[in-house]
Amino acid sequence: MGFRIIKTAAATLLSILLAAAAGIPGAQSAGLLAILGVETTRKRSLRTITARFFASLVGLFLGCILFFVLGFHYWVLGLYVLFGFPLIVKSGFKEGIVTSSVIVFRVFGQADITVHILLQQIELLMIGLGSAGLVNFIYMPQTGGMIAGIRKEVDGYFSVIFRQMARTLRDPGYIWDGKELIGAGEVVEKGLSAASREMENHVIHPDEAWNVYFYMRKEQLESIQNMLQLLSQVYRQLPHGDMVAELFDQLSGDVLAEEYTGRTERLLEELQQEFQKMELPDSREEFEIRSAILQLCRELALYLKIAKRYKSPVELHPLRDKRPSKGKA
């Protein structure tokens, strides 16, 4: 049983009890409105409830005009659907089409238009949608621990990818299936979705730290794919490849650290200076391989710049789930 089902049941029961206590006929309709108002996040709930409420007012206004002019006939309901739904959509409240229909059909069922009946429908809206909003805002499950687990999974994939790249540089004949790259992409998308839900649960001061982190990883994945294309051009073992492999070994450990260490960046700068002191290649084959390795180093530098650019000032709180305090390698 999902938590959303529990919230829906609570909102439904609360709305029906309140509507019955207020003496509104057909109090069960408030439960239906509450069911339509329950959402997965606080921000989405606020948007949905607002849209449903104003859509119902638009629908109620049009329905009353049609019933007053044409009478309470079944074919008039068809006219309401024909003209009311497009009007609600154009008003920007398309999420409230069903809710507005519930209210209009209730007025049709009573076959009368009075101020008392109209006020009852508005009260019903406030009770049903209000109960859904109240339940949504009282409690939303904390997802920080789950997102932290996704982050560890992503970091683990990145670490394995860099180890595999180091192994390929040392042994160009080694065949890697690349499944970790696919897994990393799937988990990053999962993390982005979870981070978006977490942000929508904070209405006043949304925390963007997780969103920043997973967007950083997504951008870095594109850089890794470029590195792998360059790595495929290294078809012979060279001392230069062995030296770059040490960088990826270092990076496979740095990527698991809580903060950006900068160690790989410093080693890369030292290695590039050392490359400049080496003798030029003496064959076309060596020239092509060394050129690919040099471009690989430049792409690695870009990868590291992405981590530095996405540094986040969020601090770790001892009583909260760990969040990325800084950009990681």
Side-chain angles (χ1 to χ4, degrees), residues 237-280:
Q237 184 182 13
L238 290 176
H240 307 73
D242 294 338
M243 296 166 71
V244 176
E246 293 179 6
L247 287 179
F248 284 110
D249 282 335
Q250 176 68 52
L251 188 56
S252 69
D254 288 350
V255 79
L256 300 175
E258 288 294 332
E259 300 180 356
Y260 181 79
T261 65
R263 289 191 292 264
T264 305
E265 185 179 17
R266 290 190 294 271
L267 291 174
L268 178 58
E269 291 174 355
E270 294 173 2
L271 183 59
Q272 288 176 329
Q273 292 175 4
E274 192 171 346
F275 279 172
Q276 294 176 359
K277 300 176 183 178
M278 291 183 173
E279 296 182 358
L280 295 175

Side-chain angles (χ1 to χ4, degrees), residues 7-21:
K7 289 196 304 179
T8 303
T12 302
L13 178 59
L14 177 62
S15 61
I16 293 175
L17 292 176
L18 290 175

Side-chain angles (χ1 to χ4, degrees), residues 94-310:
K94 63 179 180 179
E95 297 91 345
I97 287 178
V98 177
T99 307
S100 66
S101 300
V102 172
I103 297 301
V104 172
F105 279 41
R106 276 179 55 85
V107 173
F108 178 85
Q110 297 190 44
D112 194 11
I113 300 176
T114 64
V115 174
H116 179 67
I117 290 176
L118 296 180
L119 288 177
Q120 278 187 343
Q121 310 316 310
I122 294 176
E123 289 176 0
L124 197 70
L125 277 171
M126 295 176 66
I127 291 173
L129 297 177
S131 297
L134 180 63
V135 170
N136 275 331
F137 274 81
I138 285 177
Y139 180 74
M140 279 287 180
Q142 298 296 321
T143 58
M146 182 265 290
I147 299 178
I150 296 176
R151 184 203 68 185
K152 289 183 179 178
E153 195 173 352
V154 172
D155 294 347
Y157 274 123
F158 273 56
S159 180
V160 173
I161 289 171
F162 292 133
R163 286 202 303 270
Q164 294 285 5
M165 293 174 71
R167 181 173 178 180
T168 302
L169 282 168
R170 293 189 177 100
D171 180 13
Y174 171 69
I175 298 177
W176 171 45
D177 57 15
K179 63 180 181 180
E180 289 82 7
L181 188 66
I182 298 174
E186 293 174 349
V187 179
V188 165
E189 291 298 329
K190 180 181 176 182
L192 283 170
S193 177
S196 178
R197 289 196 302 270
E198 178 71 8
M199 281 186 62
E200 288 196 346
N201 275 329
H202 296 81
V203 179
I204 300 177
H205 298 293
D207 186 354
E208 299 182 359
W210 285 119
N211 245 18
V212 169
Y213 171 80
F214 286 111
Y215 271 115
M216 176 191 75
R217 286 305 191 207
K218 184 175 183 178
E219 193 171 342
Q220 286 180 327
L221 266 178
E222 296 177 2
S223 181
I224 289 175
Q225 291 174 348
N226 292 334
M227 284 190 273
L228 290 174
Q229 291 179 358
L230 294 169
L231 189 62
S232 66
Q233 301 175 30
V234 182
Y235 51 88
R236 198 184 86 186
Q237 184 182 13
L238 290 176
H240 307 73
D242 294 338
M243 296 166 71
V244 176
E246 293 179 6
L247 287 179
F248 284 110
D249 282 335
Q250 176 68 52
L251 188 56
S252 69
D254 288 350
V255 79
L256 300 175
E258 288 294 332
E259 300 180 356
Y260 181 79
T261 65
R263 289 191 292 264
T264 305
E265 185 179 17
R266 290 190 294 271
L267 291 174
L268 178 58
E269 291 174 355
E270 294 173 2
L271 183 59
Q272 288 176 329
Q273 292 175 4
E274 192 171 346
F275 279 172
Q276 294 176 359
K277 300 176 183 178
M278 291 183 173
E279 296 182 358
L280 295 175
D282 55 7
S283 67
R284 180 180 180 84
E285 181 184 63
E286 184 180 350
F287 171 79
E288 292 176 346
I289 297 174
R290 286 177 60 174
S291 176
I293 292 174
L294 180 60
Q295 292 180 66
L296 179 61
C297 290
R298 290 175 177 171
E299 191 64 42
L300 177 57
L302 177 60
Y303 169 94
L304 296 172
K305 285 180 181 178
I306 293 172
K308 293 179 68 176
R309 187 170 72 245
Y310 278 97

